[in-house]
Amino acid sequence: MTRLPTFPVEGGCACGAVRYRLTKAPPFVYTCHCSDCQKLTTSAFTLSAPVARDTLEITQGTLKSWTRATTESGRPTDQHVCANCGVRIYSEPPQAPDRVTLRLGTLDDTSWLRPAAAIWMKSAQPWFIPTPDMLTFDKQPDDFARVAVRWREIMEDPQG
Ligand SMILES: [Zn+2]
Ligand SMILES: [Zn+2]
């Protein structure tokens, strides 16, 4: 079991211009291995969570946005990045206007981030091996309900 931190928690971009506060725990954490995430991170995957819009407060700095038009999932997605250093803070999935997808590598404390699923495994780097806890999906799952259940099984909530 991994312990959830006490919320709110804070994070920010690499240059320090953008700071944010997340006031509530996300419903789950997952890795995305799609080719867009590999490009956008210049790495192998992103560590992300869907968070309700009203739980993410930008407390400092200016974000700029651009639209990734040709995503592997076929859905154009607005990316919100630090206007100065370009680090991606969150994106806006068009199918869910009430939430945003937070890029969790921007949190000040990343020690509690244990993903419950790996998605877009069909384009994952061949050396990536999910932990036994993680559900895996070839593409974007239609429904993340199982992922939320799995995350609650592997996380311990200090608030009970
Ligand atoms: Zn920055
Ligand atoms: Zn992705």
Side-chain angles (χ1 to χ4, degrees):
M1 297 281 275
T2 302
R3 204 166 252 277
L4 268 179
T6 303
F7 286 80
V9 296
E10 295 192 350
C13 66
C15 78
V18 170
R19 297 288 300 160
Y20 67 81
R21 183 182 298 129
L22 181 65
T23 59
K24 281 206 182 90
F28 54 86
V29 169
Y30 65 97
T31 58
C32 181
H33 300 259
C34 78
S35 54
D36 292 306
C37 283
Q38 295 190 38
K39 177 83 78 183
L40 289 164
T41 59
T42 71
S43 184
F45 55 85
T46 48
L47 194 52
S48 300
V51 301
R53 242 173 220 287
D54 59 1
T55 65
L56 181 66
E57 301 165 3
I58 304 298
T59 53
Q60 178 192 301
T62 308
L63 291 168
K64 115 184 141 183
S65 67
W66 62 281
T67 303
R68 178 92 183 163
T70 52
T71 62
E72 194 172 27
S73 61
R75 290 183 294 222
T77 305
D78 288 345
Q79 308 287 336
H80 295 261
V81 306
C82 170
N84 185 47
C85 71
V87 162
R88 188 166 60 144
I89 305 292
Y90 68 91
S91 58
E92 289 182 298
Q95 73 277 18
D98 58 326
R99 62 180 158 81
V100 298
T101 307
L102 182 62
R103 305 304 169 186
L104 299 172
T106 58
L107 284 166
D108 293 343
D109 175 13
T110 55
S111 64
W112 57 276
L113 298 172
R114 234 172 115 193
I119 71 171
W120 287 96
M121 282 296 287
K122 79 181 191 78
S123 49
Q125 293 288 316
W127 45 260
F128 174 78
I129 302 167
T131 69
D133 286 334
M134 292 166 81
L135 303 171
T136 58
F137 300 89
D138 276 354
K139 295 184 176 181
Q140 184 90 10
D142 294 330
D143 182 2
F144 276 94
R146 282 173 58 217
V147 180
V149 170
R150 174 59 56 88
W151 202 62
R152 286 196 293 273
E153 287 166 1
I154 62 178
M155 297 299 290
E156 183 184 351
D157 187 347
Q159 283 101 22

